[in-house]
Amino acid sequence: EGMAQGASGTGFNSAGLPTTATASGINIDLTLPTVSITVPANGAAYLLGSSVLATYACGDTLSGIAACAGPVANGAPINTATRGTKKFQVTGTDRAGNTTKTIFSYIVQ
């Protein structure tokens, strides 16, 4: 796992003559991206109709983030229009196709 990996190998033809091949610039990312949700806080209670702005982020140190998506855009208001327990899921996908989902619950009262 890592950036700019390389590999080489030697093969032999039917006459026993060797041929060597080298590949470089291979990027291997097996690590899942990180997802952090600050708002809504897990288990937090918010007032009905209040203006609460979503705050979340995704990160990946190897291939980088391809997508970071929640039910609303980062910085947009979360759903406080109806009472009850709500789920807030953010999904982070890195450029290697690894995906992490984080789900928080909050209460509107």
Side-chain angles (χ1 to χ4, degrees):
E1 183 170 45
M3 304 286 288
Q5 303 278 332
S8 63
T10 302
F12 298 88
N13 66 15
S14 59
L17 299 172
T19 299
T20 301
T22 301
S24 61
I26 301 167
N27 298 324
I28 300 172
D29 180 356
L30 304 174
T31 303
L32 297 175
T34 60
V35 173
S36 63
I37 303 171
T38 306
V39 178
N42 198 26
Y46 300 102
L47 294 176
L48 181 68
S50 62
S51 179
V52 179
L53 303 181
T55 305
Y56 59 87
C58 302
D60 185 84
T61 58
L62 290 174
S63 62
I65 290 295
C68 185
V72 298
N74 191 37
I78 66 172
N79 179 6
T80 61
T82 58
R83 289 185 173 91
T85 301
K86 314 288 184 192
K87 292 191 184 279
F88 193 90
Q89 177 178 305
V90 176
T91 302
T93 304
D94 66 19
R95 291 186 185 137
N98 301 310
T99 299
T100 298
K101 293 179 183 179
T102 299
I103 302 172
F104 277 11
S105 294
Y106 65 97
I107 300 165
V108 177
Q109 49 192 18

